[in-house]
Amino acid sequence: MSTEAGIDVQRQLESLVQDFRTSDPPMPVIVLHAEDSADDDRVTELVDELGEGQQRHGTRLAVAPTGPQPGDADPTARAARLLVDLGDSRKWGDRSAAYRPYSFPRLNLVRALQEATDDPEMREHWPTAPGGTPDGNAQRERAQTQLLRILARQRWRPRRPARRPRQVLLNDVQQFLPMGVLGAFTALLTRPEWYIAALAGIGLMILLAGLNHVPGRAPLFLWLRRESRWFLTTTFLQSAARRQSTSVRLLRPVRSWQAIAARAYDVAEAMREGGPFPLQLYVLALFEDLRDNHRRASWDLRGFKRTRPPVLFLRRAGRENGGIELIRAVSDVRSRRSELDPLLIVAGVAAGDAALLDRGADADTPAVRPLSPSRPSPLPQRLRHWYDEWAGNLRADQSPSRTNALPWVLRIPLPHDELVPLRQTDRRCVRARHRPPLARVVWSAHSLLLVLALAVTAGVVHARELHRTYCSAGLLTADRDTERRPAPGGGTECVGIATGDVRFGAQLSGGTTGEGERLRELESLVRAENAKVLRDHPDAYVTVVYAGPLSSSSVDPSLVKGAEELTGVYLAQRVVNENYTVKLRVLLANGGADMGHQRVTADAIAGYADRDPTVVGVVGFGRDLQSSPDVTRRLHAVGLPVVSGTNSATYLPKEFSNWFSLAAPDEHQAEALGLVARQLRARDSAPHALVLARDTKESQDRYTSEQALYGGEMLKREGFRMLPAQRYRVANGKPELRLHAESICRGEDVPSVIYFAGRVEDIGPLMTQLGTEPGCADRRISILTGDDLSKARFSGTGGRDGVAPRITLYHAALAELREAASRTAFYEDATHYLPWLEDGKATYDAADFASGQTALSHDATRALYWAASLGDVPQSRAATWVNLRSVKLDGMATGTIDFTRTPLYDERHGHSIVLKQVRRTAGGVSKATVLCSRTAGGTEPLSVRECSIE
């Protein structure tokens, strides 16, 4: 600097720069003027030197053109012209200054609106009729349409100067990059190769960029741009608005466009009227852009990288070039707004015009700030004192009672002796301490942006895959013990073992009544009991896994089996934990609707058992499916025994030593039904019989195939003339039986006995078809079927299932409850521990217990627990497997559970079994009658005499 004043002012500027690095100090408008008008030129030279010094120091700076302006003599209009070109980033230095060029979207939007307002084509379209009248409203709509047309033609951007193609490209990339990323993620939903998703994102960006530059239309997503959001939401423009909506939403483009269009026209009308409004709007837009360019809480941390405030230099501010009006507007806008902006303004003013900045009313009556004739302190101290005094009085100077004050102006009078040029050797320049900001080193656009993009992409893809695959997942982790699998009829279901926060009942769709509500209640009860066991007895418990159908599907929404079996398991848990030293913990595993995903569940149980040595066995897997051998083999590999209550597969105990079942095998059921078939055979000299079975080619069901096999062999042994077996399909959960009924009833030989190898949900349609089909409706037909019909609730007991008038149904059931009821505490315990039961509601023929599934799962759980707690000591998994062959429990819900005579790789005897007859009564209801039965533990075979059908 060539003068002492320049050195001192430069030092003060660098002091503000140093404060700016660590905080947001208020930036004044520093007005430099000489005490003597003869030194005005030296002040101008000083301002030039300050600008050159700041530029060498890396400051973003702009120099407003303060030369004489031809044309309009309005000082306000001349002040606005000083800001017009500041929306060009090239006016603020080159890229070497700091970080990357500034952007001024708000200032350019205001400038574009000003140019559209002043366009010659708009002159004849401005409304002339009074507002609120029909003519006035129509003219206003036409004027608004024309204004939008002009803005669209210039693409809502200033016409001059033209922006560089590179800058246009970068702006488009910034605007459409999120859409490209969204397009790539959308492509990933179809799980293609990675390069296909990348091409989809890039292609979407190119398409949007092309559509964005269609001539004569507004840019894409205009209402989502930051300048548009500011344009609609700033309170500065509320006075120009006409109570229009300011809503800007991504999913409401029409309403958002209408809002910005209405606001643009309202502001254009206000700008057309002139006055201080256009100038102040320019100033406000400049401030908002600069605040945004130095925002620390931004994705690129640009506020941390730009450590020097921007500086605007006014070489010679006066009335004739609009400089004085610009300084006044800056002070007015800053006083009106509450946000601090980073712009530092340095202006040189002639000594005769300096007083205009103390009071803005009139140049003829200035109020000159009194200066002390003596200067007891040097200029650097006075500069610091003036700045501190200015900053301290800033709040008071903005008070409404001081409307003529310019509180944001810091006047610095420069004495003559401080403006004397120094010798070359005495000239010096002060610079604030400088070091590269950490953000520039760590958060660079070339390295971390790529890393962030890759990390976010990988994280989102991984999280999406986790949420798609597992029932409980976070951003990077998931509970892998449960998985989402396709459900019959569409959708997904949660299968596996619930070890974390997964609740199978919470995954159910539909209402909260019926079996779904019961399942949710049972889950809560089981988990509460488990928590009590872990809290009070952490070293004296064993864990049993119940695996059953704990979800439903749109094809078969029933949860009866899972809810009833889980009721028995929970009841056994409560009885055990209330009466035994070794406590029982129960984990729930869902095999899906109809156990369709039981192989996945078995893998989850085996995986969890490897981590938890307290798991001693599994209860459940009550459906015989094609995957049942694989499931049993998988559990066998980890040493887990399986005790099933309702799986009647004949082959499983013959192939696997870890399989124990309380259900009478299919072969035993067929032999017992043979006693009924023998009596039916005696009624007719040449009876015909038929096996009608579900078609299992497209399903996993193995139970019906086993039933059909053993039922057909039984009918042949009993001497029936066998008609060709028929298989019916199931489509959308409904059996297709009409053609089969016609074939059976209209054939040459109508069977008197039909062995139905199907499911309980198919019996109703079959009865309807046979009861109305000529050839069967007037004949007595007997239908034999297996234990799945024990789940039916016939109309005689308040259910909806029934039989046709001349058809008699004979079916097997797995649990003899009536004879065992007097010798068990099962129903008393149920009343005590099941909260939804009242005294007297728990009986063997009550709706909740009649099917026997609750009793069987209870007995299976009690048997497995007995083996796992032999001697009142928690047993290992292997010991539990061995101990199961010594289990003999009396007083169970189905009788005596006896595994002591269970041979290896062979079937055992002593299962509970019941044969029931269902007929239509004279009252039109279907009533079930027990023909004969054996409680569990009984090994004496049934006889024809016991099972008489007469």
Side-chain angles (χ1 to χ4, degrees), residues 864-943:
L864 182 58
Y865 169 79
W866 190 94
S869 61
L870 190 63
D872 268 350
V873 176
Q875 302 291 307
S876 67
R877 194 174 303 162
T880 300
W881 188 345
V882 174
N883 294 340
L884 272 170
R885 298 193 180 277
S886 61
V887 170
K888 186 173 183 180
L889 296 176
D890 290 325
M892 293 293 99
T894 59
T896 300
I897 307 303
D898 187 1
F899 292 153
T900 59
R901 290 175 290 181
T902 302
L904 281 173
Y905 301 107
D906 199 359
E907 61 186 25
R908 75 177 183 92
H909 295 275
H911 303 91
S912 175
I913 191 171
V914 182
L915 294 185
K916 291 186 177 182
Q917 180 189 68
V918 185
R919 285 180 173 175
R920 179 74 70 90
T921 66
V925 296
S926 298
K927 182 178 181 181
T929 304
V930 175
L931 295 179
C932 54
S933 62
R934 286 282 186 272
T935 58
T939 57
E940 183 180 354
L942 296 171
S943 64

Side-chain angles (χ1 to χ4, degrees), residues 133-187:
T133 63
D135 291 341
N137 293 336
Q139 292 178 7
R140 189 176 188 275
E141 291 180 1
R142 288 194 297 268
Q144 178 176 331
T145 302
Q146 179 64 20
L147 178 69
L148 296 178
R149 185 179 296 113
I150 296 174
L151 286 171
R153 188 171 61 208
Q154 62 190 55
R155 306 198 52 73
W156 289 70
R157 288 291 183 264
R159 289 191 291 266
R160 299 180 308 275
R163 293 186 298 169
R164 291 169 289 186
R166 180 182 177 186
Q167 185 179 0
V168 174
L169 178 61
L170 290 177
N171 287 338
D172 287 344
V173 170
Q174 293 175 3
Q175 180 179 356
F176 299 125
L177 180 60
M179 295 300 171
V181 175
L182 179 61
F185 282 158
T186 305

Side-chain angles (χ1 to χ4, degrees), residues 848-879:
D848 291 338
F849 302 100
S851 68
Q853 301 199 66
T854 300
L856 288 167
S857 62
H858 166 272
D859 291 357
T861 306
R862 294 287 299 272
L864 182 58
Y865 169 79
W866 190 94
S869 61
L870 190 63
D872 268 350
V873 176
Q875 302 291 307
S876 67
R877 194 174 303 162

Side-chain angles (χ1 to χ4, degrees), residues 686-874:
H688 292 83
L690 171 74
V691 175
L692 178 62
R694 258 195 183 198
D695 188 350
T696 59
K697 291 181 180 179
E698 299 181 359
S699 71
Q700 300 186 49
D701 188 20
R702 189 166 178 171
Y703 165 82
T704 54
S705 299
E706 297 282 313
Q707 286 279 332
L709 172 65
Y710 295 120
E713 292 178 351
M714 177 272 293
L715 292 175
K716 290 179 182 178
R717 287 197 305 268
E718 297 299 332
F720 285 88
R721 296 183 179 181
M722 300 301 295
L723 297 174
Q726 297 189 27
R727 291 187 175 271
Y728 64 92
R729 295 176 63 252
V730 177
N732 298 322
K734 300 298 181 182
E736 297 179 346
L737 289 166
R738 180 170 182 174
L739 296 179
H740 295 284
E742 293 177 356
S743 175
I744 293 171
C745 299
R746 298 182 185 182
E748 182 178 350
D749 298 315
V750 178
S752 60
V753 174
I754 298 175
Y755 195 95
F756 178 67
R759 292 291 183 180
V760 62
E761 56 267 24
D762 303 339
I763 196 66
L766 176 63
M767 290 295 178
T768 301
Q769 299 288 346
L770 296 181
T772 58
E773 189 65 37
C776 290
D778 57 349
R779 291 177 61 90
R780 291 190 175 276
I781 297 177
S782 298
I783 296 179
L784 309 181
T785 186
D787 65 90
D788 202 62
L789 263 293
S790 61
K791 294 183 288 186
R793 296 182 179 180
F794 296 104
S795 54
T797 58
R800 295 181 296 177
D801 299 316
V803 296
R806 297 179 64 83
I807 294 179
T808 303
L809 175 68
Y810 299 92
H811 73 88
L814 300 178
E816 168 49 71
L817 302 178
R818 182 179 59 181
E819 294 185 14
S822 60
R823 300 191 296 273
T824 183
F826 171 77
Y827 301 102
E828 181 181 352
D829 293 336
T831 304
H832 183 66
Y833 294 117
L834 299 181
W836 60 85
L837 290 180
E838 301 176 1
D839 293 340
K841 297 294 184 179
T843 59
Y844 72 89
D845 56 353
D848 291 338
F849 302 100
S851 68
Q853 301 199 66
T854 300
L856 288 167
S857 62
H858 166 272
D859 291 357
T861 306
R862 294 287 299 272
L864 182 58
Y865 169 79
W866 190 94
S869 61
L870 190 63
D872 268 350
V873 176

Side-chain angles (χ1 to χ4, degrees), residues 599-675:
R599 184 183 284 107
V600 178
T601 302
D603 290 337
I605 294 173
Y608 179 77
D610 288 337
R611 310 192 306 267
D612 188 352
T614 67
V615 178
V616 294
V618 180
V619 172
F621 288 110
R623 283 182 67 96
D624 184 16
L625 303 176
Q626 299 293 340
S627 58
S628 293
D630 295 336
V631 167
T632 311
R633 186 178 297 108
R634 181 71 178 92
L635 299 176
H636 183 282
V638 293
L640 286 175
V642 182
V643 182
S644 179
T646 59
N647 193 326
S648 58
T650 301
Y651 62 92
L652 286 176
K654 296 180 180 180
E655 297 180 10
F656 300 98
S657 59
N658 66 323
W659 181 264
F660 300 82
S661 179
L662 274 59
D666 297 326
E667 188 174 8
H668 290 196
Q669 295 181 34
E671 291 176 358
L673 289 171
L675 302 176

